Amino acid sequence: RKNLLLAVKAVEKLDDVHLVAIGKSTDYAKKVQDYVEAHGLENRVHIIHNLKFGDLPILYHLASLFVYPSRFEGFGIPIVEALSAGVPVIASTGSCLEEAGGEHSIYVDPDDVEGMANAMKKVLADEHLRREMIEKGKEYVVRFDPKTLALVVWLLRVSSLCLSVILCSHSLLAKTLLL
């Protein structure tokens, strides 16, 4: 479901672009590695397994672009992490990733290799676009800050409680009036 092969095939179409992929060693990862070797991409595609969680921020900060071509996600936390680190995002359409990345990230059909390659080339070649994506991404991702989310949850609970009290009071008043 992570669809890493789409990103690998897109990188294959670009000159002098390296892809660093982090993930578990799975049968799918082996399939991707086989593709990398069959197409002579070993020097440009780097698959890292068992990365320590504490080392992940370093990779985000070194990245010029974050590509997340996943077909399905529960939410897309890696996108939020990338935006927080100031990395422009390209992700797949058709899932919740557009909510995680906001309107200033770029979205590509998860089966469109050419579209992914073109989106990557566009962001990497246009420094103005890249800076705008970083700036707007940082503004957007604030909504996912734990303190902000805690405040929203608290406000929703308070408003729900108030609504419950109003409805309950209204219901009691209605019953009183009906008697």
Side-chain angles (χ1 to χ4, degrees):
R1 77 173 197 217
K2 299 297 182 192
N3 204 19
L4 175 58
L5 196 52
L6 175 76
V8 170
K9 289 178 178 181
V11 164
E12 184 177 18
K13 296 181 175 298
L14 304 175
D15 294 326
D16 199 32
V17 173
H18 287 253
L19 173 70
V20 177
I22 289 89
K24 297 176 184 175
S25 182
T26 64
D27 289 340
Y28 180 72
K30 174 70 172 121
K31 177 181 171 183
V32 172
Q33 187 63 44
D34 290 345
Y35 183 92
V36 166
E37 291 169 7
H39 290 85
L41 298 170
E42 300 93 340
N43 293 329
R44 297 196 309 133
V45 176
H46 316 278
I47 302 174
I48 301 172
H49 303 293
N50 303 318
L51 182 75
K52 293 178 186 170
F53 184 74
D55 293 338
L56 196 53
I58 295 166
L59 290 177
Y60 280 123
H61 287 287
L62 292 173
S64 301
L65 176 63
F66 181 74
V67 177
Y68 204 62
S70 184
R71 293 183 179 282
F72 174 78
E73 288 297 322
F75 177 67
I77 294 295
I79 290 174
V80 172
E81 292 171 343
L83 292 173
S84 295
V87 183
V89 170
I90 299 174
S92 293
T93 57
S95 183
C96 61
L97 301 181
E98 291 161 284
E99 181 182 349
E103 66 181 271
H104 289 91
S105 293
I106 296 175
Y107 303 95
V108 177
D109 183 292
D111 296 313
D112 186 358
V113 174
E114 289 293 329
M116 180 60 77
N118 290 336
M120 292 167 77
K121 183 188 289 186
K122 180 179 177 179
V123 175
L124 293 171
D126 187 340
E127 188 58 31
H128 175 74
L129 171 64
R130 196 173 166 286
R131 275 186 269 131
E132 181 180 13
M133 289 176 73
I134 291 168
E135 179 185 324
K136 297 295 185 180
K138 283 184 174 183
E139 290 172 11
Y140 179 79
V141 81
V142 169
R143 70 187 62 212
F144 302 116
D145 178 84
K147 291 177 186 172
T148 304
L149 289 175
L151 178 60
V152 169
V153 169
W154 181 79
L155 288 172
L156 286 172
R157 286 186 176 164
V158 167
S159 64
S160 176
L161 177 61
C162 290
L163 182 59
S164 296
V165 169
I166 290 169
L167 290 175
C168 182
S169 298
H170 178 69
S171 178
L172 290 173
L173 181 59
K175 288 178 184 175
T176 303
L177 292 175
L178 289 174
L179 294 175

